[in-house]
Amino acid sequence: MKPFATNLSHKTIPPLDLPTKLGYGVGELSKEIPTSILVFFLLFFLTDTVGLSPGLAGSILLVGKMWDAINDPLIGWLSDSTQSFRGRRFPWMLWAAVPLGISFWLLWMIPPFNNQWQLFLYYTGVLILYYTALTSIAIPHATLAAELTQTYDERTQLVSYKSAFGIGSSILGLFIAQAVFATVDNVGLRFGLLGGIAGVIMIISVYGCVLVTSKRFWLLQNQRVQVKSVTQHSIRQQLWMVIRLRPFLYLMGVYFCSWIALQATAAILPFYVVSWMQLPEQHFTQVLLTVQGTALLAILFWNPFGQLIGKRAAFCCGIPLTITAQIGLFLLKPDQILWMYLLGVLAGIGLSTAYLAPWSMLPDVIDLDELQTGKRREGFFCGLMVQLQKLGTALSIFMVGKVLDWSGYINSGINYDTELTQPASALTAIRWLLGPLPALVLLVGICCAIKYPITRDFHDAILLKLRSVRKDRSVAQSLIDQNTQ
């Protein structure tokens, strides 16, 4: 099969079907299961099992992000330029699936080192391998939101499935962790088994996603044969062109603020539950399941509501609920356990819009870019978005580790000994990291969303102009082909 065959370019493309939505959603397992396990458990694992200091453990993620600063846009740029009979995106996903699973498993193994810096180098090296493989899957998968859809509402539908599978994957990761921790007594073996099980699921989900979505992918790619896919610009030139696209800058602000705030909350939550609320460890996973389960159910509401009022408006309606919950958690006293769970429900309702809105907005920005430049650069745009996601995660965990170090936090051990008394400075830091600080960051995200200009009417106008431009390009290409025969 030719990568960009022309025999379907003028056929009517059927609406987005259920198998494609499900297949695209399955791909989220390869990203969100490891991401949730990493965010919720890695800092604990490195400090209380491996024996690294909180500051050094947080620095591991920051060093990994220094590589990601190059890795994400580079792979996005390379995938845009890839020529293969499987297309531009699928080869990257297929090649990286097995390395992704293996590197994630190695991340949770304990090497025979006693020196802090040897441990630092081992986990930093494995994390760099993991992020390279993850980027090679995450960016091509993210571009499919633009390459499998045609309309404003189709993108909201597809990303709602992506969000549902993303939150569901996070919940699945927590269930797997809870099952492993309940059945395996050896602390070191717990995390190694958890990493191995998650790695196998990740590999299978990537191949399943490619298998199911490839048919519709080729239908739309053949329709877009006239769009120039391979760019001749350097990464620096493309980056300059992208940052001049104002809607994308606002979208980056929305996504980065959402992700850094929510990941900081996730990273500090176990410390809050154990040290401030003085509860045993099972409450931590129960609170997480409450938040993520509510977010999953809330998508059933936010999907149609977002189609009714628009993606930007849905985000601006949902995130204030999460901000309210964060302030409420900051004000809670240790004996107010019921309120903790109720505020978790409220946080989950708003959280789902942070999963849904930014990725459903991105394909609209890509269409605007095509109208202005005549090129499809899904990979480069998605590379920058994925880079923001990882950077937000790394900065959040790094800052949590550093603040805990500065506040005098005492390692409590893998069993979270609730009898250990933390200093007042550490308890105050934990509460601020959970409540007011991420709430302020989310407020900045709302301001960016308000400034984001692409509404449904705006996007309809973009599509109308694109159809005309694509038709003109198709006619011109046909004349060129006839003259060269």
Side-chain angles (χ1 to χ4, degrees), residues 172-184 193-194 197:
L172 178 59
L174 292 174
F175 272 124
I176 295 172
Q178 198 167 37
V180 170
F181 293 165
T183 56
V184 179
L193 181 59
L194 175 62
I197 294 173

Side-chain angles (χ1 to χ4, degrees), residues 156 159-160 163 299 302-303 351-361:
T156 303
V159 175
S160 70
S163 302
I299 287 180
W302 290 116
N303 178 28
L351 172 65
S352 58
T353 62
Y355 282 93
L356 178 61
W359 283 107
S360 63
M361 293 175 178

Side-chain angles (χ1 to χ4, degrees), residues 219-286:
L219 286 175
L220 285 179
Q221 282 299 106
N222 287 325
Q223 186 190 51
R224 291 168 177 165
V225 62
Q226 66 275 15
V227 180
K228 196 171 184 178
S229 301
V230 181
T231 65
Q232 301 300 321
H233 299 290
S234 66
I235 293 181
R236 180 182 297 180
Q237 290 172 322
Q238 289 204 60
L239 182 60
W240 174 245
M241 295 169 68
V242 165
I243 63 176
R244 294 176 64 185
L245 193 62
R246 191 173 297 273
F248 184 63
L249 294 181
Y250 289 129
L251 178 57
M252 290 175 72
V254 171
Y255 192 56
F256 183 72
C257 290
S258 299
W259 204 257
I260 195 172
L262 297 176
Q263 295 306 303
T265 302
I268 200 63
L269 187 59
F271 299 92
Y272 176 85
V273 171
V274 174
S275 298
W276 174 249
M277 297 301 290
Q278 301 175 14
L279 295 171
E281 64 173 2
Q282 61 264 29
H283 282 274
F284 163 52
T285 53
Q286 289 170 6

